[in-house]
């Protein structure tokens, strides 16, 4: 696949956005690798692998996962402008929407909807359907807002990582930390206006562009 320099740059910032959010948000899984090498229909990917076995997942971790999903799209918007946001975030939005609905309709993680498990969404009343949809959208918008604040605060790291991806195309965990001059204590550092931590449904998660 022949990739233009413009597309390569956009993909680099997209994947860097995912990675930076994963690195500087509490309750996320460690970033294993970031790449802008095309694979199938994906132009790039950030892979996260847990550092210990997980038998259940907390709300904190699920919110973190929502944030990571939003990282690529928000990075595109911040760097290239709202009108330049691409369809590359489609799979991210699909994953985030499924996750938010899972939280609201199956895990009882919405105060407005309450502790309920919805087996068949279409069998619910129109009022309940609307309430679930509203809560899902609110979760996604809240995640987007948190991520925008984080990436604005970490713009230096975002530019560094994107540049490194453009030059080297694939970076492993050690290389990412070297590029960003990170120590263990630097990761998931607090950003003053972002107090709510977040995470992941699956033990090995890949975020594709």
């Amino acid at each position: 696949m022949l990739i233009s320099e413009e597309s390569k740059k956009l993909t680099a910032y997209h994947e860097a956005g995912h990675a930076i959010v994963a690195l500087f948000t509490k309750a996320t899984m460690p970033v294993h690798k970031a790449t802008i090498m095309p694979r199938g229909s994906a132009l790039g990917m950030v892979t996260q692998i847990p550092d210990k076995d997980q038998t259940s997942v907390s709300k904190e971790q699920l919110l973190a996962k929502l944030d990571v999903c939003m990282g690529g799209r928000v990075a595109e918007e911040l760097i290239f402008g709202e009108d330049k946001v691409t369809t590359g975030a489609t799979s991210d939005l699909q994953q985030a929407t499924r996750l938010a609905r899972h939280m609201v309709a199956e895990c009882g993680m919405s105060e407005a909807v309450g502790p309920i498990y919805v087996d068949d969404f279409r069998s619910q009343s129109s009022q309940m359907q609307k309430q679930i949809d509203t809560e899902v959208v609110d979760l996604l918008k809240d995640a987007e807002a948190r991520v925008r604040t984080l990436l604005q605060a970490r713009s230096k790291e975002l530019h560094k990582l994107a540049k490194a991806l453009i030059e080297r195309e694939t970076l492993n965990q050690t290389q990412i930390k070297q590029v960003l001059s990170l120590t263990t204590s630097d990761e998931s550092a607090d950003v003053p206006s972002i107090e709510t931590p977040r995470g992941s449904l699956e033990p090995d998660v890949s975020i594709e562009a």
Side-chain angles (χ1 to χ4, degrees):
M1 183 185 297
L2 184 62
I3 306 295
S4 69
E5 288 303 312
E6 181 182 4
S7 180
K8 188 175 181 179
K9 181 178 180 181
L10 195 147
T11 302
Y13 273 99
H14 183 105
E15 301 307 334
H18 286 307
I20 293 298
V21 174
L23 285 166
F24 293 102
T25 299
K26 292 179 181 178
T28 57
M29 292 185 293
V31 174
H32 175 66
K33 182 177 71 173
T35 182
I36 58 169
M37 292 284 288
R39 181 181 177 184
S41 60
L43 295 178
M45 182 182 300
V46 170
T47 304
Q48 293 171 266
I49 298 178
D51 52 6
K52 57 186 175 181
D53 293 336
Q54 289 183 330
T55 55
S56 60
V57 184
S58 67
K59 181 178 180 180
E60 175 183 67
Q61 291 172 305
L62 296 177
L63 288 170
K65 175 60 179 173
L66 286 181
D67 288 12
V68 175
C69 287
M70 292 295 183
R73 185 179 187 278
V74 174
E76 289 185 20
E77 179 186 321
L78 290 175
I79 300 302
F80 303 101
E82 187 176 351
D83 292 341
K84 297 293 184 179
V85 171
T86 70
T87 57
T90 301
S91 62
D92 298 334
L93 293 177
Q94 289 174 337
Q95 187 175 356
T97 302
R98 284 196 299 267
L99 178 55
R101 189 171 295 279
H102 171 68
M103 293 172 67
V104 172
E106 297 176 355
C107 298
M109 293 180 177
S110 163
E111 291 186 13
V113 174
I116 185 174
Y117 177 85
V118 178
D119 187 36
D120 183 359
F121 180 75
R122 288 175 294 183
S123 69
Q124 302 299 308
S125 67
S126 58
Q127 181 180 355
M128 176 61 78
Q129 289 182 14
K130 183 178 180 180
Q131 198 169 22
I132 290 172
D133 284 340
T134 298
E135 287 296 291
V136 168
V137 172
D138 285 347
L139 278 174
L140 297 175
K141 286 185 175 180
D142 287 348
E144 183 182 46
R146 287 192 300 267
V147 170
R148 183 174 291 108
T149 301
L150 189 152
L151 290 181
Q152 286 172 334
R154 296 289 179 177
S155 61
K156 182 179 178 180
E157 290 87 349
L158 179 65
H159 287 298
K160 276 187 178 181
L161 187 55
K163 182 179 178 181
L165 282 170
I166 292 170
E167 293 174 351
R168 298 156 69 177
E169 296 190 329
T170 298
L171 298 168
N172 61 29
Q173 184 182 65
T174 300
Q175 291 168 329
I176 290 171
K177 289 182 179 181
Q178 289 173 344
V179 167
L180 299 177
S181 302
L182 283 181
T183 63
T184 302
S185 60
D186 290 326
E187 295 179 54
S188 300
D190 289 331
V191 175
S193 55
I194 303 175
E195 294 295 334
T196 306
R198 352 308 142 199
S200 161
L201 269 177
E202 300 141 344
D204 183 346
V205 177
S206 297
I207 305 291
E208 300 181 355

